[in-house]
């Protein structure tokens, strides 16, 4: 599994993110992969990073790992995403808890969390579009 990919692409929608994440996680062997995309001030992607690779149904995520690369990149914002290999496109309580922690940490660091996107092979769920991005 690749861990990092430099990018220069404008992420204008959750659908853009879903397409990128589907391609990125294709080789994950049915495991859940949590990624972060660092964005510059104009929301152009700088780097896509794998933060954690988990099991079929979960992956561990800590703000320290999510923001480490964003700080190194000088990112103004990030978008986080993960796949659901099960094909179920819903947000769990754990997804909401992680998102809330990341938004709070981002506020402290001055790096805005623009969205958290859950991706399946044929669908996606955007916290921002659904009004579930707290903060």
């Amino acid at each position: 599994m690749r861990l990092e990919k430099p990018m220069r692409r404008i992420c204008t929608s959750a659908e853009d993110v879903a397409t990128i994440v589907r391609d990125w996680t294709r080789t994950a062997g049915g495991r859940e992969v949590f990624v972060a995309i660092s964005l510059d001030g104009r929301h152009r992607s700088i780097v896509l990073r794998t933060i954690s690779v988990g099991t079929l149904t979960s992956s561990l995520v800590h703000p320290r790992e999510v923001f480490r690369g964003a700080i190194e990149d000088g990112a103004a914002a990030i978008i986080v995403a993960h796949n659901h290999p099960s094909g179920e496109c819903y947000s769990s309580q754990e997804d909401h808890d992680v998102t809330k922690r990341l938004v709070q940490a981002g506020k402290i660091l001055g790096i805005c969390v623009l969205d958290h996107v859950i991706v399946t092979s044929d669908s996606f769920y955007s916290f921002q579009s659904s009004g579930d991005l707290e903060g």
Side-chain angles (χ1 to χ4, degrees):
M1 166 123 277
R2 300 169 293 182
L3 297 178
E4 188 174 306
K5 175 183 178 183
M7 302 174 67
R8 269 295 174 210
R9 180 175 172 178
I10 297 176
C11 293
T12 58
S13 69
E15 187 171 5
D16 290 345
V17 174
T19 300
I20 293 166
V21 172
R22 272 189 205 106
D23 179 55
W24 187 253
T25 60
R26 191 164 307 185
T27 61
R31 294 180 294 169
E32 192 169 291
V33 179
F34 193 96
V35 302
I37 302 171
S38 294
L39 305 169
D40 67 14
R42 295 179 62 201
H43 297 171
R44 291 178 300 206
S45 53
I46 302 168
V47 175
L48 168 71
R49 284 191 176 81
T50 296
I51 302 302
S52 114
V53 178
T55 65
L56 175 65
T57 59
S58 70
S59 92
L60 286 171
V61 178
H62 191 280
R64 175 180 51 246
E65 280 78 33
V66 173
F67 286 100
R68 178 181 294 136
I71 291 167
E72 290 171 3
D73 299 335
I78 62 170
I79 296 172
V80 296
H82 72 280
N83 64 326
H84 276 184
S86 67
E88 299 290 328
C89 195
Y90 63 89
S91 58
S92 67
Q93 185 59 51
E94 290 85 6
D95 294 332
H96 284 269
D97 294 344
V98 164
T99 303
K100 184 176 181 178
R101 281 184 77 194
L102 293 176
V103 168
Q104 290 170 342
K107 285 181 180 179
I108 292 167
L109 295 169
I111 300 173
C112 182
V113 177
L114 295 180
D115 203 351
H116 180 174
V117 182
I118 298 171
V119 179
T120 66
S121 61
D122 60 357
S123 188
F124 65 91
Y125 173 86
S126 162
F127 277 73
Q128 196 278 329
S129 297
S130 301
D132 290 335
L133 192 66
E134 299 174 27

